[in-house]
Amino acid sequence: MSDEQIIDLLQKKEYEGLEMLIDIYGYSIVTTIRAILNQSVEQNYLKDVENAVFYKIWENASLFDSTKSSFKTWILTITKHCSIDKKREIIRSSRMEPVELLPEQGETFDPFEKEHFLDLVSSLSSEDQLIFLKYYYYKEYPEEIAQEFQLTKETIYARLSRGRKKIKQALEGSLS
């Protein structure tokens, strides 16, 4: 079955297209999700993200443009974005404390509070956001991150450095 046939079936909202999509690309989708949601606390969300990806592909099949990318690239881009969104949601929700447990304090903006930091990191590319999260929040070693992304350790350090500079510029822009 060709990608064109799958796309045609999906655009016509025929379930056979979704079944073929799962048969052909399901493994790649699940592998991508697991690569991004790779922390133990995130394992409970794998099926949710998988379902969200298939639903998003189903709903947006008419938006696929073969002149911009291959079908597989389009699918895996949707998968990556859904997975990163869920990762951000998990991180944000795990950092929240009930209001009654928070100490009394004035309304001050601390850009290095975790919630604000996640907003600052959003100015980076998706891959650099993951590198930052793995390094600063999950305390993974650069060697581990490099291996996972199939990059050199030096490249990881360079991306962290460039990312810090970009965040600093964004921070200086928001404070002035």
Side-chain angles (χ1 to χ4, degrees), residues 6 9-10 14-26 54 58:
I6 295 171
L9 290 170
L10 288 172
E14 294 187 22
Y15 289 107
E16 183 184 353
L18 189 58
E19 290 170 358
M20 291 176 181
L21 172 79
I22 293 168
D23 288 344
I24 296 172
Y25 295 109
F54 289 125
W58 174 262

Side-chain angles (χ1 to χ4, degrees), residues 5-15 58 61-62:
Q5 291 170 314
I6 295 171
I7 295 164
D8 185 51
L9 290 170
L10 288 172
Q11 290 174 345
K12 291 177 182 175
K13 300 291 186 206
E14 294 187 22
Y15 289 107
W58 174 262
S62 62

